[in-house]
Amino acid sequence: MTAELGHFALILALIVAALQTLIPAVGWAKRWEGWMGFAGPAALAQFLVTGLSFMALLRAFMTSDFSLALVVENSHSAKPMLYKIAGTWGNHEGSMLLWLLILALFGAAAAVFGGGLPLRLKALVLSVQGSIGLAFAAFILFTSNPFTRLANPPFDGGDLNPLLQDPGLAFHPPFLYLGYVGLSMAFSFAIAALIEGKVDAAWARWVRPWTLAAWIFLTIGIALGSWWAYYELGWGGFWFWDPVENASFMPWLIAGALLHSAIVAEKREALKSWTILLAILAFGFSLLGTFIVRSGVITSVHAFASDPTRGVAILVLLAFFVGGGLTLYAARAGSMQAKGVFGLVSRESALVVNNVLLAVSCFIVFLGTLWPLFAEIVLGRTLSVGAPFFNAAFVPIFLALAVILPLGSILAWKRGNLSRAGKDMAPALILGVALGGLAFAMLTGRSALGALGVAIGAFVLFGALTDLWLRAGRTPRRLLRLPRADWGRGLAHGGLGVTILGIAVLSAGTLEDIRVMQEGEVMEIGAYEVTLASVSEGQGPNYLTTMADMELRRGDRLVATLHPEKRFYPVAGMPTTEAGIDSGLFRDVYLVLGDPQEGGGWAVRAYVKPFAGWIWGGAILMALGGLVSLTDRRLRIAAGARRTAPPAGVPAE
């Protein structure tokens, strides 16, 4: 009965989304306040009924209801409860229902927290948001129904993909979806502004917190996915330029450009049409990611589905929303005249360069991700685009962006003084160059590129600290009085510097050794000794394990005993690798147990990875910086909106 209730709630969500789309739009066209006011309650109702549908599916997974085909395909009674819950979204149908739930959540949040929005703009925004919900509710019901019953339920299920049975993957997809779907609010604001023909500083203030929230969630989701790949897949890397990794990275880059562009639109009323375009493209790349993950056109270990029919349906949705948005943009963007005038050397110009470099970086990732598909369809050739292309094409552009970031953040609005800004940033630059030289010396000259990355990462980090120091008037006691937005920007920019520094040191300084080891044998790697003490067989909740006990020593001191594993999941018939990692502030020691060898012994891989944790520590700082900024901007936006909101019935034109 619970499944039928969930199915009925999903049908009701479709109906409510249709009403949310049509009634406020008609009210806007007719200037009927009551009809426009319907948008808020409809958005709340959409969230409630979609939430009811999702909870019904969640209960089916938690109770192992094998009368549902989806539960049979993605769960098992012996699976730990955390992974039963994660199984709800660890598949195509369930993940799309979560997608719809988060979409409804953002619409409901706009209805609750958008009290300061002009009634006409709010009605249009929620109408556009409702249309997206309508499209995806129909997509789920007609192509991906998660509540399909089986006539003859089996005794047990087929289990969740073993690679997804990990805490990192339990939380990684929801955060990514919060980011993907959060960008729908920026899209809805952009379409509403195009329909009204008005983009001003108030619009930019309203759209920024939604974009910032989406960017924060994307940052956390990408970091969790990278961390999972690092410790779960057993290959020791943190980024593979996999198509699904790229699918989340592209909207992150465009959302970053949108945030910086909206600053110019808010402060100087410039770049308005460009900001609108970025809002449309950001959501477009989110939909593109949804298509890549589910269409099966590109192979990936992260893919949820490989159904071309459903992929075509998502492609139609992508064409409708993004194509329709770009068509409307082409028709109306010319009416959005920029008012702000600024010099070549100014913060506005720096932000324009920032936007261009982020957009070019995104285009490079887009080209490298989809070029193999284009080559196969159009040219009839099978090509592979991997890390060498991305490292050669993307990394220089992004490093150039990082160099400009600290300098641009301290330039004055409208007309800046480049020599003064350079003088203020000179200490940060000197420190960065010094650390780069130190890194080159410690790496014994192995990698000039690694030393350059250290120099740039340190420059970005010290530049963020310099920015805070200058904004405090070079007075320590005024640092705590700075607005949270300034602290948020400093944390986010500093976090980017920390991540760049970590990637540079790890890429250039990793030590690796692969060999066959007998029990009791010792391997030396760097300053450490690794002893394969023993290998034993065992059993987990729903898997068999071969686990090694490996002692890590430095000199005569026992640093840690690590337990790398090879697991086998009998139901799914799949193996996984669990690395043994001893993490420290300045290095990780990473051990992987391989297969037994014919002549006796075990294949063992050992790595010493310097500054590995700094990669994810920087991501945490970036997300924290966004969160600090978000708290400040919400207060300011709410106050500003109340002051500027027009009286009821007065059109916001």
Side-chain angles (χ1 to χ4, degrees):
M1 185 63 184
T2 303
E4 283 71 27
L5 179 62
H7 193 186
F8 176 75
L10 186 56
I11 296 171
L12 193 58
L14 176 73
I15 296 171
V16 173
L19 296 175
Q20 181 184 335
T21 302
L22 295 174
I23 293 178
V26 172
W28 179 87
K30 300 290 186 179
R31 297 181 180 270
W32 295 342
E33 290 186 20
W35 285 43
M36 287 189 285
F38 177 80
L44 292 173
Q46 170 78 346
F47 174 64
L48 290 175
V49 295
T50 306
L52 179 62
S53 180
F54 184 81
M55 292 303 295
L57 184 62
L58 179 63
R59 185 179 184 277
F61 271 88
M62 292 176 66
T63 59
S64 298
D65 182 0
F66 296 119
S67 66
L68 285 184
L70 192 66
V71 179
V72 172
E73 294 168 1
N74 297 279
S75 192
H76 189 273
S77 58
K79 193 166 61 174
M81 180 55 70
L82 174 62
Y83 305 134
K84 288 183 180 181
I85 294 173
T88 310
W89 55 79
N91 56 82
H92 167 73
E93 291 83 357
S95 67
M96 290 309 303
L97 186 56
L98 178 62
W99 209 102
L100 183 63
L101 175 65
I102 294 173
L103 183 74
L105 171 63
F106 274 94
V112 172
F113 298 110
L117 286 170
L119 180 59
R120 288 172 60 78
L121 178 61
K122 183 177 180 180
L124 280 178
V125 168
L126 292 179
S127 176
V128 176
Q129 194 75 1
S131 70
I132 301 172
L134 173 63
F136 276 90
F139 170 77
I140 295 172
L141 281 169
F142 294 116
T143 72
S144 310
N145 185 4
F147 297 105
T148 302
R149 290 278 196 186
L150 293 176
N152 299 299
F155 178 75
D156 218 326
D159 210 356
L160 179 68
N161 184 338
L163 289 175
L164 303 181
Q165 295 186 41
D166 179 85
L169 261 290
F171 300 105
H172 162 63
F175 275 107
L176 273 188
Y177 294 162
L178 284 164
Y180 279 151
V181 183
L183 291 173
S184 67
M185 287 303 305
F187 176 82
S188 297
F189 269 97
I191 299 302
L194 287 172
I195 294 173
E196 286 204 309
K198 178 181 179 181
V199 178
D200 55 14
W203 178 89
R205 283 196 300 273
W206 286 319
V207 79
R208 283 181 68 191
W210 301 105
T211 306
L212 182 56
W215 182 86
I216 292 169
F217 288 127
L218 273 175
T219 302
I220 296 172
I222 291 171
L224 283 173
S226 171
W227 181 54
W228 166 80
Y230 173 72
Y231 72 80
E232 174 67 21
L233 297 183
W235 61 295
F238 62 91
W239 194 260
F240 192 63
W241 295 107
D242 179 272
V244 176
E245 292 175 338
N246 296 345
S248 60
F249 194 40
M250 288 185 284
W252 185 85
L253 292 169
I254 291 295
L258 174 58
L259 282 172
H260 291 87
S261 179
I263 294 173
V264 182
E266 177 186 348
K267 301 290 186 182
R268 304 291 302 146
E269 293 211 33
L271 301 185
K272 293 191 288 188
S273 61
W274 173 247
T275 304
I276 290 286
L277 178 60
L278 286 176
I280 296 172
L281 292 178
F283 184 57
F285 277 111
S286 294
L287 292 179
L288 178 65
T290 304
F291 169 73
I292 289 174
V293 174
R294 290 165 175 82
S295 63
V297 297
I298 296 178
T299 303
S300 167
V301 68
H302 304 79
F304 274 134
S306 57
D307 186 342
T309 302
R310 291 186 293 200
V312 169
I314 295 173
L315 198 59
V316 170
L317 296 180
L318 172 65
F320 176 79
F321 285 107
V322 179
L326 292 176
T327 301
L328 185 59
Y329 173 80
R332 304 298 295 272
S335 63
M336 300 175 197
Q337 298 298 324
K339 297 181 181 179
V341 179
F342 51 88
L344 182 63
V345 178
S346 62
R347 188 176 301 179
E348 293 94 328
S349 294
L351 290 171
V352 169
V353 175
N354 164 288
N355 267 232
V356 170
L357 292 177
L358 282 171
V360 170
S361 300
C362 182
F363 175 75
I364 289 171
V365 178
F366 172 79
L367 184 65
T369 303
L370 292 187
W371 181 254
L373 178 63
F374 174 83
E376 184 175 353
I377 294 175
V378 178
L379 306 179
R381 299 176 59 189
T382 301
L383 299 176
S384 176
V385 177
F389 166 79
F390 291 105
N391 292 339
F394 174 85
V395 171
I397 299 295
F398 201 79
L399 289 181
L401 168 68
V403 170
I404 293 169
L405 193 64
L407 196 62
S409 66
I410 65 170
L411 286 173
W413 292 104
K414 193 173 181 179
R415 192 178 302 278
N417 188 320
L418 189 59
S419 62
R420 179 178 177 182
K423 183 178 179 180
D424 288 335
M425 275 293 163
L429 179 61
I430 292 171
L431 283 171
V433 172
L435 284 177
L438 178 63
F440 186 72
M442 293 184 68
L443 294 171
T444 62
R446 283 182 294 168
S447 174
L449 184 60
L452 177 64
V454 169
I456 292 175
F459 175 55
V460 174
L461 173 59
F462 291 124
L465 296 175
T466 301
D467 183 22
L468 289 172
W469 179 248
L470 294 174
R471 290 181 186 280
R474 296 181 170 87
T475 306
R477 66 175 180 271
R478 293 181 60 186
L479 280 169
L480 296 179
R481 301 177 187 174
L482 287 176
R484 278 175 285 178
D486 289 344
W487 275 104
R489 180 176 56 253
L491 284 169
H493 289 179
L496 178 63
V498 170
T499 295
I500 292 173
L501 197 153
I503 291 173
V505 176
L506 184 143
S507 300
T510 294
L511 301 177
E512 177 182 1
D513 195 348
I514 304 174
R515 65 176 66 178
V516 176
M517 296 184 68
Q518 306 287 340
E519 292 188 20
E521 188 175 346
V522 178
M523 170 198 301
E524 292 186 3
I525 180 166
Y528 298 93
E529 293 182 349
V530 177
T531 303
L532 179 60
S534 64
V535 179
S536 58
E537 306 289 334
Q539 185 170 349
N542 61 331
Y543 59 84
L544 304 175
T545 179
T546 301
M547 179 185 296
D549 294 329
M550 305 184 75
E551 297 175 351
L552 177 67
R553 298 180 182 273
R554 183 163 187 168
D556 294 330
R557 182 172 64 91
L558 178 64
V559 177
T561 300
L562 304 179
H563 307 283
E565 297 179 65
K566 289 187 69 68
R567 294 179 179 176
F568 180 75
Y569 291 77
V571 176
M574 286 183 60
T576 64
T577 300
E578 305 289 325
I581 305 174
D582 180 59
S583 297
L585 180 60
F586 296 108
R587 61 94 186 110
D588 282 1
V589 177
Y590 187 106
L591 305 177
V592 180
L593 180 67
D595 295 324
Q597 304 300 297
E598 290 184 3
W602 299 80
V604 173
R605 283 182 289 144
Y607 305 88
V608 177
K609 294 182 170 292
F611 284 60
W614 288 48
I615 298 172
W616 302 288
I620 292 172
L621 283 177
M622 283 190 274
L624 180 61
L627 183 61
V628 171
S629 293
L630 186 62
T631 57
D632 186 358
R633 297 190 190 288
R634 276 183 172 174
L635 295 174
R636 284 168 39 197
I637 289 166
R642 284 193 294 269
R643 289 195 301 268
T644 60
V650 178
E653 297 179 336

